[in-house]
Amino acid sequence: MSLELVCPAGNLPALKIAVDNGADCVYMGFKDNTNARAFPGLNFDQASAREGIRYAHAKGKKVLLALNTFPQADKWQRWQAAVDNAAELGVDAVILADPGLMQYASRTYPKLRLHLSVQGSATNYEAINFYHEHFGIQRAVIPRVLSLAQVEQVVKNTPVEIELFGFGGLCVMVEGRCSLSSYATGESPNTCGVCSPAKAVRWEQTAQGLESRLNGVLLDRYGANEKTGYPTLCKGRFEVNDETYYAIEEPTSLNTLEMLPQMMEMGIAAIKIEGRQRSPAYVEQVTKVWRAAIDAAKRAPQAYNVNPAWMAQLGKLSEGQQQTLGAYHRPWK
Amino acid sequence: MKLSLGPILYYWDRDTVYDFYAAIAASPVDIVYLGESVCSRRHELRTDDWLDLAGMLASAGKEVVLSCQALIESESDLKALRRIAGNGLFAVEANDMGAVRLLAEAKVPFVVGPHVNVYNTQTLQLLAGLGAMRWVMPVEMSREELVSMQACRPQGMQSEVFAYGRLPLAFSARCFTARHHNLPKDDCRFSCMSDPDGLLLKTREGQPFLVLNGIQTQSAAVYNLVGEIDAMRASGVDVVRISPQSAHTAEIVQQFRTAIDDPAAAREAALRMAELMPDQSCDGYWHGRPGIEQSAAANVRNAA
């Protein structure tokens, strides 16, 4: 099986740049809360989706469509229509999280390929096989919580292809099982496709420093020489027993370049790059580095070494300029 | 409406757990959920101990349900899950789709726990077809959404609402309690045992915000819908869930029982509960607002 590079496309320019720089697949969403990056100014309308699919297919690349939020009872129709639209547009797969929606998609469009989104929270093979048996999912994206040994155990016990996150923003919580954002703001990834939404963020210069607040809750306070970051709820500094620190997670990016040969060896089907909310320039640089790394690892897995230039390049693009192997590396936990 | 007691979410020592359930056996709660649903490293009670407690509570007339872990990662987690799914005596609360698969295969009736994402009727219908008899709505779901769900609920499906306790908001592979003590998770020294109601996390201006409970993150504020009993009844809720805390749980159960049996007494019950909660109350989610908010009408702490 050949390892695929799956790159983020927040808009048409990013999609084209990803395709031009070595993505095997791009993933995108519609312009509403049917996907987990429902940010203002992002995503695809009918015309841009059509053009994006045409562009990618003309170059032999695939387009995946994320419909990975959970339809709420009275708004079901919007998600169902999005599945219809995806099938009509001719995407190569839809990435779903909700079992009800998977059932609809598999019954209505038996030929439409289904991927289980990371938002589906499947962290073990019994869960993945559940989705396979009932809806015929062909690939699952694993939450960023398993160690590499645990991932291997999953791969050995399921016929479903496994996709792992390789680079980008790091969710410290199990995706699909985090309501921290709605606790503070009323909007969560599951229901609204957002986490710590920008409209709830306020920056304020005070006597004690620059403060970031999320719907009034103080997430962090920065000294004059400290670097600021986007105020994601779990990446703020808080007080626990009179100690102030990053109590949940530091602002950092996941980077698994050094694990690439191991991931290929265990039969991972695809590596996903996070970041549909990032700029086309970001997508270009990350895609180039990962293309080069995957090609090198495929050519000579034994001789594979992480090129310092790749790390330097990705380092510049990382949150807080910090990188981690995350849960793949046991001590992180 | 029936009253249930959710699983203990914290790590208490064995004697404390046994004493706790001895008191619960005598309390006016109808359903008791038992088991370790948060962290597989916690082992003060083994599966046999939980089954022992289940037998004791069942003979005291309680309906007993065994709760599964929410985050199932390793082969040993799956082994524990298979043991619970195949227990042969008690119903099981599934908190993961892997558990749903095993329970459906074993044809064991099950409760869909709050950590399985059921946000629409289509998903609930599907689970009903696999053997679900009851579902606990996700904590972030509002009354209005619940009403939409109830309008076309599957035949015989009971609904349960998490109505009291610090809200379980998130799960991680990382243990935040061990992190606080600068310990690796694999050598956590079971430090969460020193925090029987979790470890309080405050903002840098001292606002109680969250509670760290090992790999789980909870709200610092106590979700309290005692003032919404009538609304829950009107929405067709079958079971009202109380989440255990280290002190006063039996009294909280009593206050909810009073409020359920006599709507006129609900306000007084709310007033008495102000002294029994580990922190301020919140009820935002129920009203379709940020979870942390407390509606003015039912502010338990202020009312006191």
Side-chain angles (χ1 to χ4, degrees), chain A residues 71 100 123 125-126 133 172 174 176-177 179 182-183 188 213 220-221 239 245-246 248-249 330 332, chain B residues 70 72 75 82 95 97 101 117 120 123 140 169 171-172 174 179-180 186 202 204-205 285 292:
Chain A
T123 54
Y125 59 82
E126 295 287 1
E133 271 164 17
V172 66
V174 184
R177 285 188 163 162
S179 306
S182 66
Y183 182 63
S188 73
R213 288 177 187 272
D220 212 342
R221 184 182 279 155
E239 287 175 13
Y245 66 114
Y246 292 106
I248 301 173
E249 174 64 314
R330 189 83 200 170
W332 174 88
Chain B
I72 294 172
E75 198 58 45
R82 289 188 187 106
N95 281 311
M97 276 307 191
R101 179 178 195 236
N117 286 324
N120 52 66
T123 297
E140 66 174 355
L169 294 174
F171 289 90
S172 175
R174 173 177 275 176
R179 178 178 169 87
H180 175 70
D186 290 341
K202 293 190 265 187
R204 296 180 75 174
E205 55 192 0
Y285 278 142
I292 195 169

Side-chain angles (χ1 to χ4, degrees), chain A residues 10 66 72 76 107 118 152 247 266 286 311 323:
Chain A
Q72 288 115 77
W76 170 267
R107 285 182 179 172
V118 70
E152 187 164 24
M266 65 173 68
V286 177
M311 289 305 268
Q323 301 181 68

Side-chain angles (χ1 to χ4, degrees), chain A residues 70-76 98-100 103 121 123-127 129-131 133-135 145-146 150 153 172-174 176-180 182-186 188 190-191 213 215 217-218 220-221 233 237-241 243-250 330 332-333, chain B residues 70-75 78 82 95-98 100-102 105 115 117 119-123 126 130 139-140 145 148-149 167 169-176 179-180 185-186 199-207 209-210 212 217 219-221 282 285 289-293:
Chain A
F70 291 85
Q72 288 115 77
D74 52 337
K75 306 177 195 93
W76 170 267
D98 182 68
Q103 186 175 56
S121 319
T123 54
N124 58 79
Y125 59 82
E126 295 287 1
N129 290 342
F130 171 87
Y131 294 103
E133 271 164 17
H134 290 278
F135 320 115
V145 298
L146 297 187
Q150 289 170 335
Q153 191 63 21
V172 66
M173 302 303 179
V174 184
R177 285 188 163 162
C178 180
S179 306
L180 291 176
S182 66
Y183 182 63
T185 73
S188 73
N190 282 2
T191 56
R213 288 177 187 272
N215 196 23
V217 176
L218 182 64
D220 212 342
R221 184 182 279 155
L233 195 154
R237 277 178 290 192
F238 301 101
E239 287 175 13
V240 181
N241 280 337
E243 192 188 331
T244 302
Y245 66 114
Y246 292 106
I248 301 173
E249 174 64 314
E250 286 95 3
R330 189 83 200 170
W332 174 88
K333 297 184 179 183
Chain B
L71 178 56
I72 294 172
E73 301 172 299
S74 65
E75 198 58 45
L78 284 172
R82 289 188 187 106
N95 281 311
D96 176 87
M97 276 307 191
V100 170
R101 179 178 195 236
L102 295 174
E105 263 176 11
H115 306 301
N117 286 324
Y119 286 94
N120 52 66
T121 320
Q122 285 77 358
T123 297
L126 175 80
L130 295 171
V139 294
E140 66 174 355
E145 285 156 345
S148 298
M149 293 286 291
L167 291 159
L169 294 174
F171 289 90
S172 175
R174 173 177 275 176
C175 175
F176 304 108
R179 178 178 169 87
H180 175 70
K185 185 181 173 191
D186 290 341
L199 181 56
L200 183 64
L201 175 153
K202 293 190 265 187
T203 67
R204 296 180 75 174
E205 55 192 0
Q207 179 190 5
F209 181 36
L210 302 171
L212 306 176
T217 306
S219 64
C282 66
Y285 278 142
R289 306 278 309 159
I292 195 169
E293 289 185 5

